[in-house]
Amino acid sequence: MLGQIDVNKELGKKEYEKKMEKLEIRFGELQRACKDRGIPVMIVFEGLDASGKGTMINRMIQSLDPRGFKVFTLGREKEDEVMRPYFWRFFTKTPERGRIHIFDQSWYKGVYEKDISEKEVLDFEEMLTEDGMLIVKFFLMISKEEQKKRLDKLEKNSETSWRVTGQDKENNRNYDKCLRKYDRLLVHTDTANAPWTVVEGTDKLYASCKIVSTVVDRMERAIRNADMQAAAKADMASKADTASKAGTAAKAGTAAQAVAPDQAGSPASSEHESDDLMQPDSRGINDLFRNGVLQGVDLSKTIERDEYKKKKKDLQKRLLALQNKMYLKRVPVILAFEGWDAGGKGGAIKRLTQAMDPRGYEVVPVAAPNDIEKAHHYLWRFWEKIPKAGHMTIFDRTWYGRVLVERIEGFAAEDEWSRAYNEINNMEEQFANAGCIVLKFWIHIDKEEQERRFHERENTPEKQWKITEEDWRNRAKWDDYERAVDEMIVRTSTADAPWIVVEGNSKYYARIKVLETVVSALENRLS
Amino acid sequence: MLGQIDVNKELGKKEYEKKMEKLEIRFGELQRACKDRGIPVMIVFEGLDASGKGTMINRMIQSLDPRGFKVFTLGREKEDEVMRPYFWRFFTKTPERGRIHIFDQSWYKGVYEKDISEKEVLDFEEMLTEDGMLIVKFFLMISKEEQKKRLDKLEKNSETSWRVTGQDKENNRNYDKCLRKYDRLLVHTDTANAPWTVVEGTDKLYASCKIVSTVVDRMERAIRNADMQAAAKADMASKADTASKAGTAAKAGTAAQAVAPDQAGSPASSEHESDDLMQPDSRGINDLFRNGVLQGVDLSKTIERDEYKKKKKDLQKRLLALQNKMYLKRVPVILAFEGWDAGGKGGAIKRLTQAMDPRGYEVVPVAAPNDIEKAHHYLWRFWEKIPKAGHMTIFDRTWYGRVLVERIEGFAAEDEWSRAYNEINNMEEQFANAGCIVLKFWIHIDKEEQERRFHERENTPEKQWKITEEDWRNRAKWDDYERAVDEMIVRTSTADAPWIVVEGNSKYYARIKVLETVVSALENRLS
């Protein structure tokens, strides 16, 4: 999850400050709404040393009613904590319904510093979320250089120098190793009910904006769910009531006075009806803050035709040799392609396969599932197609349809697509653990380039079959898709199965980047 | 989970055969009902060597329509399986919606023979159950002696001798160690959605009766859930429909023709309305088969007054010495007491504490939760009370209220109490991992003895406060409670935190057994 994170590209300081102001008002409102509904909230901050957890927490709590929250800073274990089971210090600090508890480091510390297992952490969180707790988890990132700079600064100041330990400096030297360790932990504990949000902490204004916006979003969802559940319960109760009244009346042989459904109402939902906090356009407020991986992609990258031809020839030759090697060494390879319509997936795949031995690879085009596939779990049809050791499978569209088209078009319900990130990460880790090389490409173009290519297809007789009404319909939902792609890339880009965002406005550039990435990954493994 | 299992005490052969007949008819009906509703079913058999998995499966499938099920026997991994990730062989064998797949050994093999983690197994099962799969898991047990007998018999017969390996014999010699290993695995993978059923396999008729009855029960629940969900969905759709029609009509300025809720109906539920399979009294059919831990308890055990006094004195003396030792060695102890009203919990606890140093223990009486406690997770108030290292906490009633009174009285919903077994096992394992001795006592008396004691209380002025209307109300639900106690003991008796069923009709006997159990557990640990 630390491979591809959002970057701050979009806005200037003024704009962030304005957004932050609105977000903070909203945050305060939602605190009251959670209190009214008895929703307990735990907000967890983990992150690299000197990534600014304390500062972020400080900024965050400014907008809250101090009677409703509490901050816990995880210092050294105290004596009464050492003398009890590990989770005692956390369980006893869980908030009452309606309150917010904020943790500057948390139970995750036991995983990387003691022998607490990921399973124990997951069990702990699941137990709480099943009981109605909202858990919001942040991981703060800074670059190796930024971390060094901050540690040096802390050390030079006599008032703060005590905060920098030898371990901190050691961790900075082993930055990459640390990151890999955290990445695994985050991936394994990124569940549908308690997902991680990774935040780039260098720009503090950007970071606190992203943090508050995430909390606001999660609180809104939690409140919506709580209201829906309360309404459903009240509805059931009123139905049962109506039924039993009707039953009694019928028995008594009199005409039952029908209770109009509208009058029966639902007490729980009506209680909050006046509360226009949760009206549909609330989503707009969160849109105040947007950022994403795709915003940071430089689409002007290009390459000349001659260079393209030369590089392609060389790379294809190396790829063929590598294919033989991977067969002999029994290494399986999975290449996954996703991207915008007309982004150039097909062309990139063709340049890969052109030079390979067809007995060693298979291209699997993925369309809507057929009846047999629909009668199974959505991942089943992909498991059916994964390569044997020594073979390669290239998926033209993939299992990520679950969190893209199925999410956007409503083919998968929210609980279905939101647990899919974790299911997919688990699946890809199994592939990797079995020795498989897994590479995932997102071929990226911008909206204008897509329009140009659509028109080109319409105006070129032999390409007309490639463009349908559906393509235009999808295009109309570009922003929704972009949001989904951003979330997908951030939450499923793992050390074992990274996403590679390919700048696709130049087809030549894109094809070479794909070839180069595959060749270099194979060379790394096989040499 | 292998510490306390159901025993076959109740019935004769004839009766089992009659029950089995009815169960099998029901099983066939439910196969069709699952097919109609598109519920996929996986039935998993694990167990000790020679515990009779094959025989059980054979017996089970007799009543099924052969077009709707398939049996998979897990042999050695085949070449195409070795060449792919571990779960490939299982994922590709998951049944289509509406079909039943039966596994003679399963993905669990990878946990005890390869390096597959429990988390991977849990992720796999959760992914499937979340998608609507019904997973029913059996673990077949036989005693060490029975296993030896069966292995010897197989070995002597020239046709079957190949089935007995050196490993099998080795496992029989290390029976206790094997059992402990399996016990942990079962406890860790006994989830609300995919629970284990442990079956004593010595008496094959009893075992297959229990197996089919469990499958029938789980199928009935799955069908009920599916129907409820379909009805809720249809209800929502019809409401949305009504609302949108009303909206359109209102916009058009005409009087909307109201759609009566009854007419709108719910297509999914009405589809199965004629199907009287799932009517309320279906529970009666499963009651055809009952058995349990408590049925096997010998309540005639007793002890003479003189012996009681002598033993008590001696044990209390040893307990005091042990209390000092546990303080010095910093060993925490948790004693949990549950049992029937008037069973004698209080008296047993008093005999424990009489001789101890009050600075080292605390007795925590547990009643209905107060407001603060209600505002937290149900386990929170117990975490608050767990002992520091070197101390002892005695709970007079416990967290097991969740699966007893809260279950029976409906204070906890089915999804809440059914996930509690796993949550409680996790909690107790954390206690044990922190070095804690955990002992749980169920003080058992029979219904007649309870009535005698209730009357005695009513007729003894100084005891009248001990008996209330509620006690009589609880007593009326004896059978429901007994069922819940049986399930509790079987599913939460672990190597780390065993249940001790105490024969309580004789108070003297019960008190001595409690004292002896505590003293011997402390001696074992502290010597």
Side-chain angles (χ1 to χ4, degrees):
Chain A
M1 291 188 59
L2 302 176
Q4 291 271 7
I5 68 165
D6 288 9
V7 281
N8 165 26
K9 281 252 170 183
E10 215 178 348
L11 304 169
K13 195 173 168 214
K14 267 260 163 62
E15 281 172 284
Y16 275 125
E17 274 169 356
K18 251 171 68 187
K19 280 165 198 282
M20 192 63 186
E21 220 171 273
K22 287 195 192 171
L23 279 167
E24 285 184 323
I25 293 170
R26 181 75 181 146
F27 189 24
E29 291 170 349
L30 290 168
Q31 183 191 13
R32 290 189 292 280
C34 281
K35 182 163 177 279
D36 290 346
R37 287 161 180 82
I39 301 172
V41 181
M42 283 168 103
I43 305 178
V44 170
F45 285 84
E46 294 284 344
L48 299 180
D49 302 322
S51 56
K53 294 183 285 288
T55 316
M56 290 301 122
I57 291 174
N58 235 326
R59 176 76 205 249
M60 193 177 76
I61 59 180
Q62 297 313 318
S63 37
L64 293 177
D65 178 345
R67 290 164 303 180
F69 76 87
K70 193 166 176 186
V71 178
F72 297 90
T73 304
L74 204 73
R76 204 179 287 273
E77 272 185 298
K78 286 169 206 72
E79 203 198 328
D80 58 343
E81 291 167 343
V82 174
M83 289 177 85
R84 290 194 173 83
Y86 177 72
F87 278 95
W88 181 78
R89 69 195 298 204
F90 304 107
F91 209 134
T92 50
K93 291 184 182 70
T94 54
E96 263 180 58
R97 302 194 199 289
R99 290 180 60 85
I100 301 177
H101 284 187
I102 300 164
F103 292 83
D104 182 353
Q105 295 203 281
S106 67
W107 44 93
Y108 283 93
K109 212 175 175 186
V111 182
Y112 44 83
E113 290 188 0
K114 301 179 79 162
D115 57 350
I116 301 303
S117 71
E118 290 166 353
K119 182 179 174 298
E120 285 172 277
V121 162
L122 291 169
D123 286 337
F124 179 66
E125 293 180 358
E126 187 185 339
M127 181 184 66
L128 295 172
T129 55
E130 289 275 2
D131 192 48
M133 179 86 67
L134 172 61
I135 301 183
V136 189
K137 304 185 296 194
F138 293 103
F139 189 89
L140 264 69
M141 277 276 288
I142 42 174
S143 68
K144 184 173 182 176
E145 297 66 37
E146 177 72 17
Q147 189 181 41
K148 176 123 195 358
K149 215 171 75 188
R150 291 189 183 183
L151 290 174
D152 286 349
K153 193 176 159 197
L154 284 170
E155 208 174 16
K156 264 182 213 140
N157 185 331
S158 62
E159 277 174 35
T160 55
S161 61
W162 60 273
R163 286 178 54 189
V164 181
T165 66
Q167 184 66 53
D168 293 342
K169 289 196 256 179
E170 172 84 21
N171 286 347
N172 181 253
R173 273 190 297 275
N174 296 322
Y175 182 90
D176 289 340
K177 220 179 111 194
C178 274
L179 217 59
R180 218 188 145 87
K181 193 185 66 179
Y182 283 121
D183 189 49
R184 268 194 178 250
L185 176 58
L186 295 191
V187 167
H188 289 170
T189 54
D190 183 54
T191 57
N193 287 327
W196 280 104
T197 301
V198 179
V199 179
E200 224 289 306
T202 308
D203 179 338
K204 285 177 187 169
L205 187 54
Y206 159 79
S208 49
C209 212
K210 176 157 180 183
I211 285 167
V212 178
S213 129
T214 304
V215 176
V216 161
D217 181 52
R218 296 288 312 283
M219 282 172 122
E220 283 176 349
R221 277 164 200 254
I223 289 167
R224 263 199 308 274
N225 282 344
D227 287 355
M228 259 164 56
Q229 272 176 27
K233 229 180 196 170
D235 196 40
M236 221 132 91
S238 90
K239 261 193 195 160
D241 194 40
T242 311
S244 83
K245 272 184 194 157
T248 318
K251 267 186 204 155
T254 68
Q257 252 203 329
V259 177
D262 282 347
Q263 280 178 299
S266 78
S269 69
S270 64
E271 190 182 318
H272 301 299
E273 220 132 50
S274 61
D275 168 4
D276 60 357
L277 266 180
M278 298 313 305
Q279 290 318 296
D281 72 336
S282 75
R283 187 171 150 187
I285 291 172
N286 218 2
D287 268 1
L288 282 175
F289 182 75
R290 267 199 62 203
N291 237 318
V293 175
L294 298 184
Q295 297 278 346
V297 178
D298 176 7
L299 285 172
S300 68
K301 287 186 183 171
T302 182
I303 188 177
E304 289 305 314
R305 186 179 156 89
D306 286 350
E307 200 191 342
Y308 164 68
K309 286 207 161 174
K310 224 181 91 208
K311 280 199 170 175
K312 188 184 75 163
K313 204 175 151 192
D314 167 58
L315 287 163
Q316 287 183 335
K317 210 174 125 192
R318 281 155 71 194
L319 184 57
L320 179 61
L322 287 163
Q323 193 193 7
N324 283 323
K325 246 186 179 172
M326 68 176 246
Y327 182 74
L328 291 173
K329 291 207 177 180
R330 295 273 187 238
V331 173
V333 178
I334 292 176
L335 305 181
F337 284 86
E338 291 283 354
W340 299 105
D341 291 329
K345 287 189 305 297
I349 292 172
K350 204 167 152 190
R351 282 9 173 241
L352 276 173
T353 56
Q354 263 171 352
M356 282 199 289
D357 181 336
R359 288 165 301 180
Y361 72 84
E362 185 184 8
V363 178
V364 178
V366 173
N370 63 33
D371 286 352
I372 300 291
E373 290 165 347
K374 271 188 204 149
H376 285 94
H377 191 275
Y378 74 96
L379 290 175
W380 177 82
R381 59 174 171 153
F382 303 105
W383 274 93
E384 287 277 322
K385 293 292 185 184
I386 58 167
K388 286 194 290 192
H391 292 249
M392 176 189 283
T393 305
I394 301 173
F395 290 95
D396 185 351
R397 300 211 181 273
T398 67
W399 42 97
Y400 285 97
R402 188 72 162 185
V403 295
L404 298 174
V405 57
E406 293 189 41
R407 167 181 178 174
I408 303 300
E409 303 297 337
F411 302 147
E414 178 165 345
D415 66 312
E416 289 174 326
W417 61 256
S418 59
R419 69 172 178 263
Y421 301 104
N422 194 241
E423 291 168 342
I424 288 173
N425 282 335
N426 283 337
M427 178 177 79
E428 291 174 355
E429 189 177 340
Q430 284 173 28
F431 296 166
N433 286 346
C436 196
I437 296 174
V438 184
L439 298 171
K440 304 176 300 197
F441 296 94
W442 174 262
I443 315 280
H444 190 52
I445 53 174
D446 59 30
K447 225 176 153 178
E448 294 66 40
E449 177 65 18
Q450 188 186 51
E451 188 171 11
R452 212 188 50 70
R453 293 189 189 179
F454 277 9
H455 286 308
E456 189 190 317
R457 285 182 175 186
E458 285 177 333
N459 300 329
T460 316
E462 70 272 23
K463 286 188 180 172
Q464 274 166 8
W465 64 273
K466 279 182 152 184
I467 177 94
T468 66
E469 266 309 303
E470 205 189 327
D471 293 324
W472 287 103
R473 275 199 302 277
N474 289 343
R475 183 177 153 74
K477 296 184 181 168
W478 184 283
D479 285 357
D480 290 338
Y481 273 101
E482 186 170 322
R483 208 186 309 266
V485 172
D486 271 333
E487 185 169 358
M488 166 188 89
I489 290 178
V490 169
R491 295 186 66 183
T492 61
S493 202
T494 63
D496 291 329
W499 273 106
I500 298 99
V501 178
V502 179
E503 299 81 352
N505 272 13
S506 155
K507 285 185 183 175
Y508 289 164
Y509 181 86
R511 290 169 190 170
I512 294 299
K513 179 160 176 178
V514 169
L515 268 166
E516 269 173 349
T517 308
V518 174
V519 164
S520 112
L522 287 171
E523 276 175 352
N524 278 341
R525 174 69 72 83
L526 297 169
S527 65
Chain B
M1 292 188 61
L2 302 176
Q4 292 270 9
I5 68 166
D6 289 8
V7 280
N8 166 24
K9 279 254 172 183
E10 215 180 347
L11 303 169
K13 194 174 169 214
K14 266 264 163 61
E15 280 172 285
Y16 275 124
E17 273 170 356
K18 249 169 72 187
K19 279 164 198 282
M20 192 64 186
E21 220 171 275
K22 287 193 194 173
L23 279 167
E24 286 184 323
I25 292 169
R26 181 77 180 146
F27 189 23
E29 290 169 350
L30 290 167
Q31 182 190 13
R32 288 188 293 278
C34 281
K35 182 163 177 280
D36 289 348
R37 288 159 180 82
I39 300 171
V41 182
M42 281 167 104
I43 305 177
V44 170
F45 285 83
E46 293 284 345
L48 300 179
D49 302 322
S51 57
K53 294 184 284 290
T55 315
M56 290 302 124
I57 292 174
N58 234 326
R59 177 74 203 249
M60 192 178 77
I61 58 180
Q62 297 313 319
S63 37
L64 294 176
D65 178 344
R67 291 162 303 178
F69 76 87
K70 194 166 171 182
V71 177
F72 297 89
T73 304
L74 203 72
R76 203 179 288 274
E77 273 186 297
K78 285 172 207 71
E79 203 198 327
D80 58 341
E81 292 167 342
V82 174
M83 290 176 86
R84 290 194 173 82
Y86 177 71
F87 278 95
W88 181 78
R89 68 193 299 202
F90 302 108
F91 209 135
T92 51
K93 292 183 181 69
T94 53
E96 265 179 57
R97 303 195 199 289
R99 291 180 59 85
I100 301 175
H101 284 187
I102 300 162
F103 293 82
D104 182 351
Q105 296 203 285
S106 68
W107 43 93
Y108 283 93
K109 213 176 176 186
V111 183
Y112 42 86
E113 291 189 358
K114 301 179 80 162
D115 57 349
I116 301 303
S117 71
E118 289 167 353
K119 181 178 175 298
E120 286 172 277
V121 162
L122 290 170
D123 286 337
F124 179 66
E125 292 181 359
E126 186 184 341
M127 179 184 67
L128 294 173
T129 55
E130 288 277 1
D131 192 48
M133 180 87 66
L134 171 62
I135 301 183
V136 189
K137 303 185 295 194
F138 293 103
F139 189 89
L140 265 68
M141 278 275 288
I142 42 174
S143 68
K144 185 172 182 177
E145 297 67 36
E146 177 72 16
Q147 190 181 42
K148 175 121 193 7
K149 215 172 76 187
R150 290 189 185 183
L151 290 173
D152 286 349
K153 193 176 159 197
L154 284 171
E155 207 174 16
K156 263 182 212 142
N157 185 332
S158 62
E159 277 172 34
T160 55
S161 60
W162 61 273
R163 289 177 53 189
V164 182
T165 66
Q167 184 66 52
D168 293 342
K169 289 196 258 179
E170 173 85 22
N171 287 348
N172 181 251
R173 274 189 299 273
N174 296 322
Y175 181 89
D176 289 340
K177 220 179 110 193
C178 274
L179 217 59
R180 219 186 145 87
K181 192 185 66 179
Y182 282 122
D183 188 49
R184 271 196 175 248
L185 176 58
L186 294 191
V187 167
H188 290 170
T189 54
D190 183 55
T191 58
N193 287 328
W196 280 104
T197 302
V198 179
V199 179
E200 225 287 308
T202 308
D203 179 337
K204 286 176 186 169
L205 188 54
Y206 159 79
S208 49
C209 213
K210 176 157 181 185
I211 286 167
V212 177
S213 129
T214 304
V215 176
V216 160
D217 181 51
R218 297 287 312 283
M219 283 172 121
E220 282 177 349
R221 278 166 199 254
I223 289 167
R224 263 199 308 275
N225 283 343
D227 286 355
M228 261 163 56
Q229 273 176 26
K233 228 181 197 169
D235 197 39
M236 221 132 92
S238 89
K239 263 192 192 159
D241 194 40
T242 310
S244 81
K245 272 184 195 157
T248 318
K251 267 185 204 155
T254 67
Q257 253 205 328
V259 177
D262 282 347
Q263 280 178 302
S266 78
S269 70
S270 63
E271 190 182 319
H272 300 298
E273 220 132 52
S274 61
D275 168 4
D276 60 356
L277 265 181
M278 297 313 303
Q279 290 316 297
D281 72 336
S282 76
R283 185 170 154 190
I285 291 170
N286 218 1
D287 268 2
L288 282 174
F289 182 74
R290 267 199 63 204
N291 237 317
V293 174
L294 297 184
Q295 296 279 344
V297 178
D298 175 9
L299 285 172
S300 68
K301 287 184 181 171
T302 182
I303 188 177
E304 288 306 314
R305 187 179 156 87
D306 285 352
E307 200 190 341
Y308 164 68
K309 286 208 160 176
K310 222 179 96 211
K311 279 197 169 175
K312 189 183 74 163
K313 204 174 152 192
D314 166 59
L315 286 164
Q316 287 183 335
K317 209 173 126 191
R318 281 154 72 193
L319 184 57
L320 179 60
L322 287 163
Q323 194 195 4
N324 283 322
K325 246 188 178 171
M326 68 178 245
Y327 183 73
L328 291 172
K329 293 206 176 183
R330 294 270 187 241
V331 174
V333 178
I334 292 176
L335 305 181
F337 285 86
E338 291 284 355
W340 299 106
D341 291 329
K345 287 190 303 297
I349 292 172
K350 205 166 152 191
R351 284 4 173 246
L352 275 173
T353 57
Q354 263 170 353
M356 282 197 288
D357 182 334
R359 289 166 299 181
Y361 72 82
E362 185 185 7
V363 177
V364 177
V366 174
N370 64 32
D371 286 351
I372 302 289
E373 291 165 346
K374 270 188 203 148
H376 285 93
H377 190 275
Y378 73 95
L379 290 175
W380 177 82
R381 59 174 171 152
F382 303 105
W383 274 93
E384 287 277 321
K385 292 293 185 185
I386 59 167
K388 288 195 288 194
H391 292 250
M392 177 189 284
T393 304
I394 301 173
F395 291 94
D396 184 353
R397 298 212 182 274
T398 67
W399 43 96
Y400 285 98
R402 189 70 163 184
V403 295
L404 298 175
V405 57
E406 293 189 41
R407 168 180 178 172
I408 303 300
E409 303 297 336
F411 302 148
E414 179 165 345
D415 65 314
E416 289 173 328
W417 61 256
S418 59
R419 67 172 179 261
Y421 301 105
N422 193 240
E423 291 168 343
I424 288 173
N425 282 335
N426 284 337
M427 178 177 79
E428 292 174 355
E429 189 176 340
Q430 285 174 26
F431 297 167
N433 287 346
C436 195
I437 296 175
V438 184
L439 298 172
K440 304 175 302 198
F441 296 95
W442 174 261
I443 315 279
H444 190 52
I445 54 173
D446 60 29
K447 225 176 154 179
E448 292 67 41
E449 178 66 17
Q450 190 187 48
E451 188 171 11
R452 213 187 50 69
R453 294 189 187 177
F454 277 9
H455 286 309
E456 190 190 317
R457 286 181 173 185
E458 285 177 333
N459 299 330
T460 315
E462 71 272 23
K463 287 188 180 174
Q464 273 165 9
W465 63 272
K466 279 183 153 183
I467 176 98
T468 66
E469 266 310 303
E470 204 189 329
D471 292 325
W472 288 103
R473 275 200 301 276
N474 289 343
R475 183 178 153 73
K477 295 182 182 171
W478 183 283
D479 284 357
D480 289 337
Y481 273 101
E482 186 169 323
R483 209 186 308 266
V485 172
D486 271 333
E487 186 169 358
M488 167 188 87
I489 291 179
V490 169
R491 294 186 66 184
T492 61
S493 201
T494 64
D496 290 329
W499 273 106
I500 299 97
V501 178
V502 178
E503 299 81 350
N505 272 15
S506 155
K507 286 185 181 176
Y508 289 166
Y509 181 87
R511 291 168 188 170
I512 294 299
K513 179 160 176 180
V514 169
L515 268 166
E516 269 175 349
T517 307
V518 175
V519 165
S520 113
L522 287 170
E523 278 176 351
N524 278 342
R525 174 71 70 85
L526 297 168
S527 64

